[in-house]
Amino acid sequence: MRLFRYGPPGDERPGLLDVRGVRRDLSGVVGDLTPHTLGPDALARLARLDPSRLPEVDPAARLGPPVGQIGNVIAIGLNDAEHAAEAGLPLPRQPIVFSKHTAAVCGPDDDVWLPPGAVKLDWEVELAVVIGRAAWHVTEADALAHVAGYCLANDISERAHQLEMDGQWIKGKSYPTHCPLGPWLVTADEVPDPQALELWLDVNGQPCQRGSTRTMVFGVAALIAYLSRFMRLLPGDVILTGTPPGVGMGHKPPRFLQAGDVMELGCDVLGRQRQRVVPAPLP
């Protein structure tokens, strides 16, 4: 299944994309797509529905992040061998783990805000993993059984805040709108091998990132097993698994986003996103 949420920010409703690509409303069946509705039994009930009996959704309606009430966004750094090479850094011996504030999450086509004074805003197309069953001390062999589904992510990063200030990376990763997710939550049964996905990202129509989840240093199953040693992963938690080469910081000279720039990114299985960079509307 391809599930989505639509409507104004903070008031999204659940939906399902049928086999013909028609968006269908699920709000008469389930209140929302949240941690409480991502377990195997809940998803199996949705899979048994006849989509043709569901109301159609206006295709012009805004798409929100495909999961609501996300508890944690956990991210992995330098998890692509080619990306590490472009950064001139050795491959990590263990996953590099950081987090993004959940207020950074936004819809796949929402504007991305340029923070005041930001000069090194960067892009990172990634595979995002959504947990459906709690995972704690799970084995790598069992890890994928805890996945509800996958979606596309753009791990927007302000590199000066991330790398040139004291403290943790979270400061450069957590500004509002700096974690677009979606358009769809593609359930795990439709992604038999998460290490066989091609990812791409363009800026202003110019190709920037081209890569594959095949070149991950630590695959999805390994990441879930590793993280579950240190924390209980909960339904609705999102794991950003790392970006392929071609980020702005890796260009020679480096290239960073400015107001008016447009990012387009995608994956054949997970769908496409499009964001325009705009100055942050301060309170």
Side-chain angles (χ1 to χ4, degrees):
M1 289 183 295
R2 284 164 169 76
L3 304 172
F4 64 91
R5 297 168 70 246
Y6 72 97
D11 193 27
E12 289 94 347
R13 303 173 70 176
L16 179 152
L17 191 72
D18 72 18
V19 294
R20 296 186 296 116
V22 177
R23 300 177 187 183
R24 302 284 182 170
D25 179 69
L26 278 174
S27 58
V29 179
V30 62
D32 199 356
L33 299 173
T34 69
H36 304 291
T37 56
L38 294 177
D41 292 343
L43 293 179
R45 285 194 293 272
L46 295 181
R48 290 193 293 267
L49 295 173
D50 179 357
S52 68
R53 296 179 176 272
L54 300 172
E56 293 190 20
V57 173
D58 181 353
R62 169 192 174 266
L63 293 177
V67 178
Q69 300 178 24
I70 294 170
N72 297 283
V73 179
I74 304 156
I76 308 298
L78 289 177
N79 194 37
D80 181 277
E82 296 175 353
H83 174 51
E86 77 173 347
L89 296 170
L91 296 182
R93 293 180 298 172
Q94 297 185 41
I96 298 172
V97 182
F98 62 95
S99 63
K100 292 174 78 84
H101 195 288
T102 54
V105 173
C106 67
D109 301 323
D110 290 346
D111 290 340
V112 164
W113 295 353
L114 182 69
V119 294
K120 295 185 178 180
L121 196 67
D122 207 345
W123 56 83
E124 294 188 32
V125 61
E126 304 197 10
L127 168 66
V129 180
V130 179
I131 298 297
R133 294 171 48 213
W136 187 43
H137 288 281
V138 301
T139 65
E140 190 169 333
D142 186 49
L144 295 186
H146 296 260
V147 175
Y150 303 90
C151 61
L152 191 68
N154 194 353
D155 177 16
I156 303 291
S157 308
E158 211 300 332
R159 300 299 189 188
H161 297 169
Q162 176 193 0
L163 301 171
E164 299 172 17
M165 301 179 70
D166 293 339
Q168 302 298 312
W169 286 7
I170 189 171
K171 294 197 299 292
K173 297 281 190 172
S174 295
Y175 205 75
T177 74
H178 285 192
C179 189
L181 295 178
W184 326 120
L185 173 65
V186 182
T187 51
D189 59 297
E190 303 236 356
V191 187
D193 183 3
Q195 306 309 141
L197 300 175
E198 303 296 320
L199 304 173
W200 61 269
L201 183 146
D202 297 345
V203 179
N204 298 331
Q206 299 298 310
C208 289
Q209 288 191 275
R210 297 293 187 272
S212 171
T213 55
R214 291 184 184 89
T215 55
M216 283 184 182
V217 181
F218 305 99
V220 172
L223 290 174
I224 293 170
Y226 180 84
L227 292 170
S228 78
R229 293 166 50 191
F230 308 104
M231 61 192 79
R232 185 189 294 272
L233 297 171
L234 300 174
D237 284 352
V238 175
I239 303 170
L240 305 187
T241 58
T243 196
V247 299
M249 182 175 63
H251 282 233
K252 300 187 187 313
R255 175 185 177 186
F256 296 112
L257 295 165
Q258 301 178 31
D261 285 343
V262 173
M263 293 171 284
E264 296 181 271
L265 53 150
C267 169
D268 287 347
V269 176
L270 303 176
R272 299 168 66 110
Q273 299 184 2
R274 184 182 188 275
Q275 300 108 26
R276 181 177 296 274
V277 180
V278 302
L282 298 182

